[in-house]
Amino acid sequence: MERYFKFSELPTWERQMYYNYIYLFLMEANMPYPAFSVWYNNLFTDDLYLKPEREIMICEKEYRIAGVTILKRTKEEAKICTMYVAKQYRHNGIGQMLMELSLEWLKNQKPVITLDSSKEPEFTGILNHFGFALQKRSCGLYRPGKVELIYSRKS
């Protein structure tokens, strides 16, 4: 059985634990972005509350984190910054449910998601399912010499 929840809804005593669990989960995923640790730390205030424009959706299965999305919602941007489902839990609907919860929280008709071009095959199905279309290719957006794909949701 899966359990889905928002980081912002965690009680104080659980925030530090999940802050660490999510970080380790994403590090195991070999997040390819430089300064990932700095970026991750900047999602939070000093007392480990998420900053108001941020949310993290979490799926637990078998008492382990199975998937995570990290979101950003400002006046200028609605973005799925990170989406990862552990390999052993893929193709079981977790990514779809995380995407649904993420889109609901973003409250925007045209959210954006960026991904490394090497990850495109892994995301094609879910992006198509939720009506995302490639808008732009950008070289060096996050890493020198690497192509990032920028998708937004069709109206």
Side-chain angles (χ1 to χ4, degrees), residues 57-118:
M57 300 291 177
I58 304 158
C59 173
E60 278 187 344
K61 188 169 181 153
E62 301 163 350
Y63 303 103
R64 298 178 64 194
I65 294 179
V68 165
T69 55
I70 299 177
L71 311 170
K72 178 182 180 184
R73 181 178 65 198
T74 65
K75 286 189 298 185
E76 301 80 26
E77 182 178 49
K79 184 176 183 183
I80 300 167
C81 302
T82 301
M83 181 175 193
Y84 183 72
V85 175
K87 287 181 182 171
Q88 68 266 35
Y89 299 116
R90 291 181 187 169
H91 308 292
N92 290 306
I94 292 172
Q96 185 169 335
M97 180 58 80
L98 284 170
M99 182 68 88
E100 287 175 15
L101 293 169
S102 296
L103 293 172
E104 182 181 305
W105 184 84
L106 288 170
K107 297 179 185 172
N108 185 296
Q109 293 303 311
K110 293 197 101 179
V112 172
I113 187 168
T114 60
L115 56 122
D116 183 292
S117 60
S118 68

Side-chain angles (χ1 to χ4, degrees), residues 25-42:
F25 175 74
L26 293 173
M27 290 310 296
E28 286 178 13
N30 294 317
M31 296 309 287
Y33 297 103
F36 176 78
S37 298
V38 172
W39 176 81
Y40 182 76
N41 289 331
N42 283 329

Side-chain angles (χ1 to χ4, degrees), residues 1 3-4 47-48 61 77 86 129 134 146 151:
M1 190 69 167
R3 176 173 90 111
Y4 295 87
D47 53 357
L48 296 184
K61 188 169 181 153
E77 182 178 49
H129 179 80
L134 180 63
K146 296 291 183 179
Y151 284 83

